[in-house]
Amino acid sequence: MIKNYLKTALRNLFKKKSFSAINIIGLAIGMSVSILMLLFVLNEVTYDRFNDNSRNIYRIALNLDAQGRILNIPSIPPPMGPALVANFPEVAQMGRLRTRGDALISYEEKLIDESRIVYADSGIFDIFSIDVVRGNPETFLEAPFNLVLTEEMAEKYFGSEDPIGKTLKMDNEDVFSVVGVVKKMPENSHFKFNMLLSLPTLNRTGEGLDSWMGFNFTTYFELQQNASTEGLSEKFYSLLMDNMPEQIKQLDIKIDLYLQPLTSIHLHSHTEGELEPGGNVAYIWILTTIAIFVLLIACINFMNLSTAQSAHRAKEVGMRKVLGAQRGKLISQFLGETMLLSFISFILSLILIQALLPAFNQLSRKELVFNPFQNWVVTLGLLGITVVVGFLAGTYPAFFLSAYSPLDVFRSQFKAGRGHRFLRNGLVTFQFVISIALICSTFLVFFQMRYVKKFDLGFDSEQVMVIHYRGQLGNQRDVFKSKIMEVPGVIKASNSQTLPGIGRNETFFSFEGFNQGKPKVYPFTEADEDYLETLGMELSAGRFFSKEFPGDNKTMVINETLVQEVGWDEPLGKIVRMTDVIEEEFVEVPYTVIGVVKDFHYESLREKIRGFVIKMSSGGGRLSVKVRPENISGTIRSAEKIWNEMSPVDPFEYSFLDDTFDRIYSAEQRIGKIFLAFTLITIFVACLGLFGLASFTAEQRTKEIGIRKVMGASVSNVVLLLSRQFTKWVLLANLIAWPLVFFTMRKWLENFAYRIDMGIWIFVLSGVIALGIALLSVSTKAVKAATANPVQSLRYE
């Protein structure tokens, strides 16, 4: 019996090759795309869950409100971590981190610039599940100048040699001894490192671990089993305030301490100075929704075409019943056929996933792996979807057609499936609601990103090369700058601490007649006299720093927004007091305002322009170089030659300011590309179904088309006849999709302080594109039917 079922199913599969191909390919694409999206989502929501007892681990974070400037930071003073264990029995253990940033690592002939270098104490190995390859984790980080490497780093520097006991020099100064080797942290960890440096090293380098003055240590703790977090925030806050230096209390800072569960950090923490870029839970919901919708569209196609095609088998059902077939056997036959198609799609989707995964990883910047034999949860989910889709698609022929009596089936006016036309049209409308929503959303993301790129930032970021000082050259900045200025392709150069989009300093300021006695936090930078000209900024009042005025080291330039906030009618000559820390004492140093610079964006367009202060200094960690566009590569080679002559042991590093500023929006740009890719796939799958339904409609109306042509109907009349019914459903889909997109994307655009207007033309354009694609899909089959020989059409059936 099963052999007969299989033979009949395969015969029907090959009898309608085009319908079968559309069914299988559409569903396979839907499954594979959905599973890729869900792999991405699964990776995001499982961050840090690989750690033992991850549900019981927390990080301490602070909200600092300094006269309206709110800083959200994931760090506390260094002594607070040990104090938690000593004072609160609920705390089982703690671990502390502090990032060092990039460093120049030297070993024998190797000289490599490394990133992800972190100071840590031994408690990190108690908090995180770090796999140790060599050494004793209990003593790894107890002594100063100890170093733990990942396996990749150990092989990179020492090859097959035993790294334990060997030394590496950092920035040509500190020498660290390798005491351990560990495996690298998993890809879905919010904390990653290449090298761990022992925290006691900071005591030797002058950065003590006993001061409650600074908020610069990321601290984690693990609770005792069955301990509750209720009331812990208040207790920790009291401990912090009891030990807070009086100088900080006098600054009138409001502090809010709160606990962050380890497993929520990646998606829900948006603090400043995160160890790794975080995710966005809104994008998780968006991508999950897209994954479900793509699969729904594929399933709708499958069910629509299976149901439509089954109408042709009504006479087969009648003949089988006349020959004695029971209804239960017919149900089994039809369900088996749709299940077969569904499982073929499932197998094809597994192949497609493996083929598409490398490209998807590159697009999403992930290291996703799909193994259907290991990731059994996903595989079982796919199998469940396969069974459900096969069952739903087979429901109509199995339960409805099998119920017809042979007498009804053999009547000439019998038309199976006519009563389900409304359902099919409703499903087509639903498909295009999703497609139009995706098209419109993709347009809005694209136009917002283009708006961001073309927005007037108040400075010229193009052809500005940024050279990062390090090592020996850091003490010869002025000499290096003067030599760079002699390069033919260089227009101007400036030394500074920070640049727009690169680095940020903030401290307390008070202003004459405004907030004296209650300093407020503002961002600032230190720069030399060529800063404004190099970056193409403009003054609205006064002057900028100049070598002709030796006293400019006691002056400042502020921006227009700060003038407005302070309320000065005449800012020139006013006194600004900048808070500085000298020997752990806060000291207010007075400066005179000599100029006002026109507003410029030093942060992303997600933030509104705030008050900004520029202080005179010839130092700083960066040299910005304005170069001519004609021979940029030659200018870079000349700059590198000068660098190598002055500091042959340090690598030459540079970037371009416009590229750096663009990377601020990398998450949005990446999501935009994912939107575009899956919008195109969604439209393709929807059009497959539309093409299949058009084929079915044309086939059902073959005789009608033949009669119309004999009566004088033109090809365009016939094409219009077949296209008209689909057009009205696509137009209806526009009316449903537009409000959904408007409210959803308006919420997304609120993330930007400067954003585009959602003009009606964007929605209309999306609708026209969707309608054009639908008509193209339908008209292909309609033209073929309209140009067929009427004689053959009238002989149909």
Side-chain angles (χ1 to χ4, degrees), residues 224-241:
Q224 300 282 2
Q225 290 295 327
N226 301 320
S228 171
T229 59
E230 186 176 355
L232 272 187
S233 298
E234 291 79 7
K235 294 178 183 178
F236 290 176
Y237 175 79
S238 297
L239 174 69
L240 177 63
M241 297 310 295

Side-chain angles (χ1 to χ4, degrees), residues 654-693:
Y654 72 92
S655 60
F656 279 89
L657 187 57
D658 53 353
D659 292 338
T660 304
F661 213 80
D662 285 345
R663 279 197 290 271
I664 295 174
Y665 311 104
S666 59
E668 285 85 359
Q669 290 170 349
R670 188 166 64 252
I671 291 296
K673 291 178 181 177
I674 293 175
F675 256 70
L676 176 60
F678 290 106
T679 297
L680 294 176
I681 292 172
T682 302
I683 292 170
F684 174 74
V685 174
C687 288
L688 272 180
L690 207 58
F691 180 81
L693 283 178

Side-chain angles (χ1 to χ4, degrees), residues 21 25 74 172 174 251 257 330 379 403 478 481 536-537 683 742:
I25 293 172
N172 296 312
D174 301 328
L251 292 174
L257 183 149
L330 291 173
T379 305
D478 289 339
K481 175 188 169 183
M537 298 176 182
I683 292 170
F742 177 80

Side-chain angles (χ1 to χ4, degrees), residues 246-479:
E246 287 299 322
Q247 300 96 315
I248 296 181
K249 292 180 180 179
Q250 292 173 3
L251 292 174
D252 194 22
I253 304 176
K254 297 178 182 178
I255 299 177
D256 178 26
L257 183 149
Y258 62 99
L259 308 181
Q260 296 178 309
L262 178 66
T263 54
S264 73
I265 289 175
H266 177 68
L267 286 178
H268 299 279
S269 176
H270 301 290
T271 60
E272 301 181 38
E274 285 287 351
L275 297 170
E276 295 285 334
N280 190 323
V281 71
Y283 292 148
I284 297 303
W285 285 111
I286 290 170
L287 293 177
T288 303
T289 303
I290 292 175
I292 293 171
F293 280 167
V294 171
L295 187 59
L296 269 177
I297 286 177
C299 292
I300 288 169
N301 281 349
F302 189 84
M303 290 184 284
N304 263 349
L305 294 178
S306 296
T307 303
Q309 189 180 359
S310 66
H312 288 288
R313 302 183 64 183
K315 289 186 178 179
E316 175 191 339
V317 171
M319 185 61 70
R320 283 174 175 268
K321 282 198 166 187
V322 168
L323 295 175
Q326 298 177 353
R327 189 184 180 195
K329 300 292 185 182
L330 291 173
I331 291 173
S332 300
Q333 173 68 47
F334 284 120
L335 285 177
E337 289 180 13
T338 53
M339 286 291 185
L340 176 64
L341 286 174
S342 189
F343 273 100
I344 292 174
S345 299
F346 170 68
I347 300 300
L348 181 58
S349 72
L350 297 182
I351 299 171
L352 284 174
I353 289 170
Q354 297 300 336
L356 295 172
L357 193 56
F360 184 72
N361 278 337
Q362 186 176 5
L363 183 64
S364 62
R365 296 180 186 176
K366 292 283 186 181
E367 298 175 9
L368 305 176
V369 176
F370 177 68
N371 188 331
F373 301 104
Q374 291 181 352
N375 202 336
W376 59 270
V377 175
V378 175
T379 305
L380 286 179
L382 262 180
L383 282 172
I385 291 170
T386 304
V387 172
V388 169
V389 171
F391 177 80
L392 291 176
T395 297
Y396 174 77
F399 292 95
F400 288 90
L401 285 182
S402 62
Y404 288 128
S405 69
L407 274 176
D408 291 332
V409 168
F410 290 123
R411 287 175 182 166
S412 59
Q413 67 269 26
F414 176 78
K415 289 286 185 182
R418 180 179 293 174
H420 295 269
R421 185 181 302 165
F422 180 77
L423 174 62
R424 284 200 293 273
N425 290 334
L427 293 176
V428 168
T429 303
F430 177 72
Q431 285 181 311
F432 273 89
V433 167
I434 297 170
S435 300
I436 293 163
L438 286 175
I439 293 171
C440 199
S441 300
T442 302
F443 271 132
L444 288 168
V445 171
F446 170 77
F447 288 128
Q448 175 63 23
M449 290 298 100
R450 191 180 69 168
Y451 176 81
V452 164
K453 286 187 175 183
K454 294 184 178 296
F455 192 84
D456 183 8
L457 299 173
F459 66 94
D460 186 5
S461 63
E462 295 184 0
Q463 284 90 50
V464 177
M465 179 172 63
V466 182
I467 300 173
H468 306 270
Y469 288 124
R470 67 180 324 135
Q472 297 176 359
L473 198 56
N475 301 320
Q476 306 178 63
R477 296 180 179 90
D478 289 339
V479 178

Side-chain angles (χ1 to χ4, degrees), residues 637-737:
R637 286 194 297 271
S638 298
E640 184 175 10
K641 183 179 179 181
I642 296 171
W643 178 284
N644 292 334
E645 289 173 353
M646 295 184 64
S647 182
V649 297
D650 297 319
F652 176 72
E653 290 183 18
Y654 72 92
S655 60
F656 279 89
L657 187 57
D658 53 353
D659 292 338
T660 304
F661 213 80
D662 285 345
R663 279 197 290 271
I664 295 174
Y665 311 104
S666 59
E668 285 85 359
Q669 290 170 349
R670 188 166 64 252
I671 291 296
K673 291 178 181 177
I674 293 175
F675 256 70
L676 176 60
F678 290 106
T679 297
L680 294 176
I681 292 172
T682 302
I683 292 170
F684 174 74
V685 174
C687 288
L688 272 180
L690 207 58
F691 180 81
L693 283 178
S695 301
F696 167 72
T697 303
E699 191 174 342
Q700 271 197 326
R701 304 177 75 170
T702 301
K703 283 188 176 180
E704 177 189 346
I705 292 170
I707 294 171
R708 286 179 178 273
K709 289 195 70 178
V710 170
M711 298 298 292
S714 65
V715 173
S716 58
N717 293 141
V718 175
V719 171
L720 182 62
L721 173 71
L722 295 176
S723 304
R724 186 171 53 197
Q725 61 174 317
F726 295 104
T727 301
K728 62 183 178 183
W729 299 121
V730 175
L731 292 175
L732 176 61
N734 277 286
L735 299 179
I736 299 172

Side-chain angles (χ1 to χ4, degrees), residues 170-234:
M170 294 196 180
D171 290 332
N172 296 312
E173 295 177 349
D174 301 328
V175 177
F176 288 82
S177 298
V178 180
V179 295
V181 178
V182 298
K183 292 185 179 296
K184 74 172 184 178
M185 298 295 281
E187 192 270 334
N188 60 340
S189 171
H190 87 283
F191 156 57
K192 301 182 182 72
F193 62 87
N194 291 324
M195 299 180 179
L196 286 179
L197 312 180
S198 56
L199 205 59
T201 305
L202 294 174
N203 283 325
R204 296 285 189 89
T205 58
E207 302 178 63
L209 300 177
D210 301 324
S211 173
W212 289 79
M213 183 72 77
F215 299 86
N216 47 14
F217 280 74
T218 306
T219 304
Y220 303 84
F221 68 92
E222 181 181 336
L223 287 178
Q224 300 282 2
Q225 290 295 327
N226 301 320
S228 171
T229 59
E230 186 176 355
L232 272 187
S233 298
E234 291 79 7

Side-chain angles (χ1 to χ4, degrees), residues 18-34:
S18 60
F19 277 99
S20 300
I22 290 173
N23 260 338
I24 293 170
I25 293 172
L27 186 57
I29 292 174
M31 284 182 172
S32 56
V33 167
S34 297

